[in-house]
């Protein structure tokens, strides 16, 4: 296991390097001038040149890239061109709303979707199975912003049970945080419940006819114990992959949901930085997203041996 872990960590280094090169070149070669955005429409050519020189944009691309990588290795992601604040501080301020929503969304999704998938597989071909699959199709088909606006209309405007928009930190006002996290979490969970339930059902159907399942039933074990203790454990590998990938996607920022509910998360920060052509912030966000995906995939690979005893490294 330690050797496998070391190999996986070393394999992630060239992946992150390729991502860094791609991000750097993509942002530098796309049309637009950060100096013009900073200076405004009335800036003179001399002022634009001075801004470009202060930002190092007049240097060759190789010099800019080496300087940027050197700063990254020291933990310096640069300074925002728009707010003039350290990028790491901007990301840290916007990170926790996204993380909290991601944790609540996935917890709710797993708690609902896994039993739904198990029930659908156990009752394959019945009305329960058809009901779960119908919900899965609807969850995939309806756009997330439509679900968001429908939930706002029902629970916030008509019933007046929950706030329409906004975010409060749990350390400041936990009740306010909980009330404002319900609708975004439900909106996102509708998609992940459909995905995880469908994957759980498909994976479980693949193992229900295996010999060890029939043996467990022949021993007189209860159906619940057979399903959750024996079948689900061996069917959990693809389900864990979906859950891990979903968490990485949520951490990277869900732009539409954060916009609908006015959540100051990483998704909103990404959109604002792209429109403002704030190179340092965009680069940091993409690298952060790539790093999260690499770490999640590493954790999923390591969990395979725990979920499926047949896998050994």
């Amino acid at each position: 296991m330690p050797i496998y872990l070391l190999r996986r960590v070393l394999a992630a280094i060239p992946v992150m390097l390729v991502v860094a090169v791609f991000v750097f070149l993509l942002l530098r070669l796309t049309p637009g001038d950060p100096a013009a955005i900073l200076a405004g429409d009335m800036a003179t050519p001399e002022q634009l040149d001075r801004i470009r020189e202060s930002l190092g944009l007049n240097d060759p691309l190789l010099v800019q890239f080496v300087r940027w990588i050197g700063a990254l290795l020291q933990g310096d992601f640069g300074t925002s061109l728009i707010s003039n604040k350290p990028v790491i501080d901007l990301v840290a301020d916007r990170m926790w709303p996204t993380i909290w929503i991601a944790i609540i969304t996935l917890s709710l999704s797993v708690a609902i979707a896994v039993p739904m998938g198990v029930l659908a597989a156990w009752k394959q071909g019945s009305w329960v199975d058809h009901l779960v699959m119908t919900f899965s199709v609807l969850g995939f088909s309806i756009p997330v912003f439509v679900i968001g606006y429908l939930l706002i209309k029902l629970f916030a405007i008509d019933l007046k049970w929950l706030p329409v928009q906004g975010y409060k930190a749990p350390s400041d006002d936990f009740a306010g945080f909980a009330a404002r996290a319900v609708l975004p979490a439900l909106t996102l969970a509708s998609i992940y419940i459909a995905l995880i339930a469908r994957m759980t059902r498909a994976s479980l159907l693949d193992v229900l006819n295996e010999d060890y399942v029939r043996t467990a039933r022949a021993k007189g074990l209860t159906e619940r114990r057979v399903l959750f203790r024996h079948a689900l454990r061996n069917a959990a590998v693809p389900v864990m992959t979906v859950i891990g990938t979903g968490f990485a996607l949520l951490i990277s920022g869900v732009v539409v949901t954060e916009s609908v509910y006015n959540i100051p998360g990483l998704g909103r920060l990404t959109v604002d930085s792209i429109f403002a052509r704030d190179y340092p912030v965009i680069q940091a966000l993409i690298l952060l997203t790539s790093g999260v995906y690499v770490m999640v995939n590493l954790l999923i690979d390591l969990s395979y041996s725990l979920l499926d005893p047949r896998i050994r490294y």
Side-chain angles (χ1 to χ4, degrees):
M1 180 70 75
I3 297 177
Y4 172 78
L5 177 61
L6 179 61
R7 287 205 311 265
R8 292 288 296 169
V9 172
L10 293 177
I13 296 177
V15 172
M16 295 302 299
L17 181 60
V18 170
V19 171
V21 173
F22 175 78
V23 170
F24 180 84
L25 293 178
L26 178 66
L27 295 178
R28 292 308 192 278
L29 298 179
T30 50
D33 187 359
I37 297 175
L38 290 174
D41 297 335
M42 306 301 293
T44 64
E46 292 77 13
Q47 291 174 328
L48 293 177
D49 287 336
R50 285 197 297 271
I51 294 176
R52 293 191 192 99
E53 186 66 29
S54 65
L55 297 176
L57 298 177
N58 290 333
D59 297 333
L61 287 179
L62 181 60
V63 174
Q64 295 183 45
F65 179 74
V66 172
R67 183 169 57 233
W68 178 59
I69 288 294
L72 285 181
L73 294 177
Q74 300 176 27
D76 181 10
F77 287 87
T79 303
S80 170
L81 302 180
I82 306 302
S83 64
N84 202 31
K85 294 180 179 179
V87 173
I88 192 66
D89 292 342
L90 289 176
V91 173
D93 291 340
R94 299 291 192 95
M95 180 174 60
W96 283 109
T98 299
I99 290 178
W100 281 119
I101 295 299
I103 292 174
I104 296 173
T105 298
L106 275 187
S107 300
L108 181 64
S109 301
V110 173
I112 296 176
V114 172
M116 283 177 57
V118 172
L119 185 61
W122 182 38
K123 300 292 186 179
Q124 183 185 12
S126 67
W127 67 269
V128 175
D129 186 19
H130 295 312
L131 182 62
V132 172
M133 289 300 97
T134 301
F135 175 80
S136 298
V137 172
L138 291 176
F140 285 124
S141 304
I142 302 176
V144 66
F145 68 89
V146 173
I147 297 176
Y149 286 130
L150 289 175
L151 291 177
I152 290 175
K153 177 69 168 57
L154 176 60
F155 292 105
I157 297 177
D158 293 341
L159 298 177
K160 302 185 185 302
W161 288 355
L162 298 168
V164 176
Q165 292 179 327
Y167 173 82
K168 286 190 176 182
S171 57
D172 298 334
D173 182 4
F174 184 80
F177 160 77
R180 287 165 175 79
V182 171
L183 291 182
L186 286 176
T187 302
L188 293 170
S190 63
I191 301 173
Y192 288 97
I193 290 173
L195 178 61
I196 296 172
R198 193 179 187 91
M199 181 60 68
T200 303
R201 175 186 179 274
S203 301
L204 205 58
L205 287 177
D206 289 338
V207 303
L208 281 179
N209 293 323
E210 295 289 340
D211 292 339
Y212 63 86
V213 175
R214 288 195 292 267
T215 301
R217 284 172 172 158
K219 290 180 178 179
L221 298 180
T222 63
E223 195 68 16
R224 178 180 177 182
R225 188 176 180 86
V226 170
L227 289 172
F228 285 95
R229 180 67 182 273
H230 295 274
L232 184 59
R233 180 178 180 181
N234 291 284
V237 171
V239 178
M240 283 297 300
T241 303
V242 171
I243 295 173
T245 305
F247 181 75
L249 179 61
L250 290 170
I251 290 298
S252 64
V254 185
V255 176
V256 175
T257 304
E258 291 184 0
S259 299
V260 169
Y261 292 102
N262 195 26
I263 299 174
L266 294 178
R268 288 273 304 279
L269 179 61
T270 302
V271 173
D272 295 342
S273 301
I274 290 174
F275 281 122
R277 298 193 63 80
D278 199 342
Y279 287 156
V281 178
I282 299 172
Q283 290 170 336
L285 289 171
I286 296 178
L287 286 176
L288 173 65
T289 301
S290 303
V292 169
Y293 271 99
V294 170
M295 290 301 299
V296 167
N297 286 324
L298 176 60
L299 293 175
I300 291 173
D301 288 345
L302 294 177
S303 67
Y304 283 172
S305 60
L306 300 176
L307 295 172
D308 192 341
R310 297 169 297 181
I311 301 177
R312 290 291 182 265
Y313 298 111

